Amino acid sequence: MYRSHNCGELRSSHIETEITLAGWAHKTRDKGFVVWIDLRDRYGITQLVFDEERSSKALLEKARAIGREFVLQVKGTVTERSSKNPNIPTGDIEILVSELHILNEALLPPFTIEDQTDGGEDLRMKYRYLDIRRNPVKDNLIFRSMVTMEVRKYLSGQGFIEVETPYLIKSTPEGARDFVVPSRMNQGQFYALPQSPQTFKQLLMVGGMDKYFQIVKCFRDEDLRADRQPEFTQIDCEMSFVEQEDILNAFEGLTKHLLKELKGIECEDFPRITYDEALRRFGNDKPDIRFGMEFGDLNEVAKHREFGIFNDAEIVVGIAVPGGASYTRKEIDKLVDWVRRPQVGAKGMVYVKCNEDGSYKSSVDKFYDQEDLEKWAEITNANAGDLICILSGEINATRSQLSALRMELAERLGLRKAEEFAPLWVVDFPLLELDEESGNYHAMHHPFTSPKPGQLELLDTDPGAVRANAYDLVLNGNEIGGGSIRIHDKEVQATMFRHLGFSPEEANTQFGFLMDAFQYGAPPHGGIAFGLDRLVAILGGQETIRDFIAFPKNNSGRDVMIDAPATIDDAQLEELNLKLDIRSEE
């Protein structure tokens, strides 16, 4: 056998035991009369020792020839370590090696295999298999495995059945672009990779499965960021004969289970706020409620003076920054520059310092007196020593800008603590969103979302006012899950398609299979999908999902390790009846 123990399990109780270990040479230290090698595997590090008194000359010379990341097998005796290392679990012992076998030599790695490495991100992505040997990445992947195991355990215990759905499906308009796959046997036709298993899980409910889940790969051909990947993983779930309350209770239970089992945190019932309330209080629909700095609407107390910027604005809104009155003018000017960046887009910022003596000093003292500023402080819940930051303009843009400033300030003030978890439900989303360019409405979630009970009739008279029977689960300022009660009636679904601009022929071409299924007794049903990558990252104390994916793509959607995507040869193109004609410019 290659090993009797792993490199993380030997302790003082094993002293005088004959053992066999295998792993990678992490570090070597040669003091002339003694050589130490740290042997590493997934489980930990064990120190090996070779010395002139107890090791043969040939064995000592062989040890000296070992390079970093050589794959080794050793046999030897567990002995007490004279200079103990309290920083590792095996630090009380070492292995006096009697046999050393080099299973494989290794090139010098392009970066150090250490927690704090000297390798940049691009280099580590190219050699991802080496990056995985580092504890931070290895531990993230192990943590991801623990999360998925707990998800399966909980949902299976609640009676959910895991069912696999197809990866080669029909292209449907779900918002993002599809990845398409040409069919060799059906010339000129294409499969699409699923953006979600949405219609299939609804068909499973028609099929009577009642409670379904799947940990499933999904694909979206969209612009990428650090927290997005072209392929991502969902915890996809659906239930029959349920209302919104049933879904919220079931998956609040799942989230509580994960927080308890993985983080040791007992949660109270999650707060719930409406979409409109989230925008009014926090400026976005996925608020981080680990800290305050809630929005204060200043319209009523800021538009009575001759300050044109406020008077001409749709909204004047501010937040109180704890301790911000101590900021220097230079520091405040930097904040103003920050909100003026193109990524934020504000034209400027008004500020008020709430002095410790109860007085106020603002950038608009010319227009507003102390009584005015005191009212602003009351509305924004500002205390002595705080700074009030105020933006104004068009409602949606201004709220978005102030939300970005709120999150930036919270980051700078250390208020977004990774070890704290603050979940909440956001409910009552608009069913439809208006595309200002085309003047047409599109589904805010997807076209299968049911309107709130009693609001179907509003689709003909005031479609923008219709609320969806939809909900998002937010954790620490990130949407980790979203879902809805689905339409299960063919006529209602046809009405929805009509309002989304589908002709009856287009609806039948795209979704006729689902409409047909509804005629055979579709139960009321609803569900939710969690973004597993994001959920794991947040539970792991981070927000960038890439470090929790074994082989991620870069920001251009490329796998630099295997060099994909790549061209294919002419023979394959011809077999698929595809012709790629790329001409370089003269």
Side-chain angles (χ1 to χ4, degrees), residues 305 352-353 355 357-362 365 367-377:
R305 302 290 186 179
V352 180
K353 285 189 174 185
N355 298 320
D357 63 5
S359 65
Y360 302 93
K361 176 64 179 174
S362 82
D365 280 345
F367 300 96
Y368 296 96
D369 58 27
Q370 293 289 298
E371 185 177 342
D372 291 325
L373 302 180
E374 184 176 8
K375 290 178 182 177
W376 297 7

Side-chain angles (χ1 to χ4, degrees), residues 62 81 92 135 137 155 157 168 173 204 264 329 435 541 548 569:
K62 192 174 184 179
R81 188 166 169 171
D92 289 343
N135 284 329
V137 181
L155 291 177
L168 296 175
L204 285 170
R329 178 60 186 269
D435 185 328
F548 291 83
D569 62 40

Side-chain angles (χ1 to χ4, degrees), residues 363-547:
S363 56
V364 288
D365 280 345
K366 179 180 177 181
F367 300 96
Y368 296 96
D369 58 27
Q370 293 289 298
E371 185 177 342
D372 291 325
L373 302 180
E374 184 176 8
K375 290 178 182 177
W376 297 7
E378 290 175 3
I379 291 172
T380 58
N381 292 313
N383 299 311
D386 291 350
L387 176 74
I388 307 172
C389 296
I390 303 159
L391 301 182
S392 62
E394 187 271 328
I395 290 177
N396 291 335
T398 303
R399 283 174 169 169
S400 178
Q401 292 156 6
L402 191 61
S403 174
L405 178 61
R406 176 179 181 265
M407 296 295 279
E408 174 67 16
L409 287 167
E411 195 71 45
R412 295 184 186 186
L413 294 169
L415 301 177
R416 303 190 70 203
K417 299 176 181 177
E419 68 276 9
E420 291 182 10
F421 297 92
L424 80 154
W425 290 103
V426 179
V427 299
D428 295 354
F429 285 81
L431 182 67
L432 305 173
E433 282 185 306
L434 181 64
D435 185 328
E436 294 183 0
E437 290 186 9
S438 67
N440 297 323
Y441 282 97
H442 60 86
M444 191 164 192
H445 282 73
H446 53 61
F448 316 109
T449 297
S450 174
K452 296 283 284 188
Q455 295 201 0
L456 181 63
E457 295 75 14
L458 283 175
L459 280 173
D460 290 317
T461 58
D462 190 3
V466 180
R467 290 303 180 223
N469 210 340
Y471 32 82
D472 279 357
L473 182 56
V474 176
L475 182 62
N476 294 2
N478 293 271
E479 176 200 334
I480 60 167
S484 66
I485 299 299
R486 323 300 186 189
I487 297 169
H488 66 279
D489 179 90
K490 179 182 178 181
E491 296 306 318
V492 175
Q493 187 65 73
T495 300
M496 176 62 73
F497 285 145
R498 176 168 56 83
H499 281 280
L500 293 173
F502 289 87
S503 68
E505 294 76 21
E506 290 171 333
N508 186 65
T509 299
Q510 293 285 353
F511 302 109
F513 64 93
L514 184 65
M515 304 282 275
D516 290 344
F518 283 177
Q519 297 180 102
Y520 291 93
H525 59 283
I528 194 170
F530 287 76
L532 178 65
D533 309 302
R534 194 183 312 276
L535 172 63
V536 171
I538 294 171
L539 291 175
Q542 302 177 42
E543 291 190 10
T544 301
I545 66 174
R546 188 178 295 157
D547 289 339

Side-chain angles (χ1 to χ4, degrees), residues 67-228:
R68 280 169 46 195
E69 301 305 308
F70 276 35
V71 186
L72 309 176
Q73 182 194 45
V74 299
K75 295 182 180 180
T77 306
V78 182
T79 63
E80 185 173 6
R81 188 166 169 171
S82 58
S83 179
K84 295 181 171 55
N85 182 354
N87 297 317
I88 58 174
T90 60
D92 289 343
I93 60 93
E94 61 188 6
I95 309 302
L96 177 61
V97 176
S98 56
E99 294 182 32
L100 169 61
H101 302 283
I102 299 175
L103 302 178
N104 217 333
E105 296 184 356
L107 296 174
L108 185 68
F111 53 86
T112 56
I113 312 298
E114 300 282 356
D115 291 2
Q116 299 297 323
T117 183
D118 57 356
E121 185 174 17
D122 290 343
L123 186 64
R124 290 186 289 109
M125 291 274 281
K126 181 175 176 62
Y127 298 94
R128 184 63 167 181
Y129 45 85
L130 297 179
D131 201 28
I132 291 173
R133 294 181 188 176
R134 298 192 311 114
N135 284 329
V137 181
K138 176 203 72 177
D139 291 344
N140 285 346
L141 296 181
I142 293 172
F143 182 70
R144 182 186 178 108
S145 175
M146 292 168 59
V147 173
T148 57
M149 289 176 65
E150 289 298 334
V151 168
R152 283 192 165 97
K153 183 198 309 183
Y154 180 86
L155 291 177
S156 298
Q158 297 293 314
F160 284 79
I161 304 299
E162 186 166 13
V163 182
E164 295 180 20
T165 53
Y167 278 171
L168 296 175
I169 67 167
K170 183 178 183 179
S171 181
T172 58
E174 285 197 43
R177 297 181 184 90
D178 287 327
F179 283 100
V180 293
V181 181
S183 171
R184 179 182 60 82
M185 299 185 67
N186 298 276
Q187 293 283 307
Q189 295 184 315
F190 297 81
Y191 298 105
L193 300 179
Q195 296 183 35
S196 78
Q198 180 61 46
T199 53
F200 287 99
K201 66 180 180 179
Q202 291 190 249
L203 292 172
L204 285 170
M205 296 303 102
V206 176
M209 291 305 294
D210 193 66
K211 290 182 176 182
Y212 141 94
F213 86 98
Q214 183 182 189
I215 297 177
V216 58
K217 280 286 186 187
C218 302
F219 307 86
R220 290 179 186 171
D221 187 6
E222 59 185 354
D223 295 337
L224 303 175
R225 300 194 302 262
D227 61 343
R228 284 187 180 174

Side-chain angles (χ1 to χ4, degrees), residues 243-455:
E243 296 176 334
Q244 177 175 294
E245 191 68 23
D246 301 304
I247 301 287
L248 268 56
N249 288 337
F251 294 99
E252 184 168 316
L254 170 62
T255 311
K256 287 179 176 178
H257 173 82
L258 294 176
L259 287 168
K260 180 180 178 181
E261 294 301 317
L262 298 168
K263 309 303 294 185
I265 295 172
E266 297 271 4
C267 282
E268 301 291 332
D269 290 345
F270 299 175
R272 301 178 187 181
I273 62 174
T274 65
Y275 170 86
D276 290 339
E277 184 183 358
L279 293 185
R280 178 176 54 81
R281 292 172 57 188
F282 303 101
N284 68 68
D285 60 2
K286 46 182 183 297
D288 191 336
I289 59 171
R290 285 174 292 180
F291 57 95
M293 285 198 282
E294 291 193 21
F295 287 15
D297 188 332
L298 303 174
N299 274 16
E300 294 297 322
V301 294
K303 289 191 173 187
H304 64 295
R305 302 290 186 179
E306 296 180 0
F307 187 52
I309 293 175
F310 284 177
N311 293 339
D312 296 339
E314 287 185 1
I315 190 173
V316 182
V317 62
I319 56 173
V321 183
S326 64
Y327 289 3
T328 65
R329 178 60 186 269
K330 186 176 181 179
E331 289 174 316
I332 294 174
D333 286 345
K334 286 183 177 179
L335 279 183
V336 176
D337 291 340
W338 192 90
V339 300
R340 282 177 170 162
R341 297 183 315 148
Q343 300 95 315
V344 180
K347 293 180 179 179
M349 185 184 84
V350 169
Y351 70 86
V352 180
K353 285 189 174 185
C354 303
N355 298 320
E356 296 289 353
D357 63 5
S359 65
Y360 302 93
K361 176 64 179 174
S362 82
S363 56
V364 288
D365 280 345
K366 179 180 177 181
F367 300 96
Y368 296 96
D369 58 27
Q370 293 289 298
E371 185 177 342
D372 291 325
L373 302 180
E374 184 176 8
K375 290 178 182 177
W376 297 7
E378 290 175 3
I379 291 172
T380 58
N381 292 313
N383 299 311
D386 291 350
L387 176 74
I388 307 172
C389 296
I390 303 159
L391 301 182
S392 62
E394 187 271 328
I395 290 177
N396 291 335
T398 303
R399 283 174 169 169
S400 178
Q401 292 156 6
L402 191 61
S403 174
L405 178 61
R406 176 179 181 265
M407 296 295 279
E408 174 67 16
L409 287 167
E411 195 71 45
R412 295 184 186 186
L413 294 169
L415 301 177
R416 303 190 70 203
K417 299 176 181 177
E419 68 276 9
E420 291 182 10
F421 297 92
L424 80 154
W425 290 103
V426 179
V427 299
D428 295 354
F429 285 81
L431 182 67
L432 305 173
E433 282 185 306
L434 181 64
D435 185 328
E436 294 183 0
E437 290 186 9
S438 67
N440 297 323
Y441 282 97
H442 60 86
M444 191 164 192
H445 282 73
H446 53 61
F448 316 109
T449 297
S450 174
K452 296 283 284 188
Q455 295 201 0

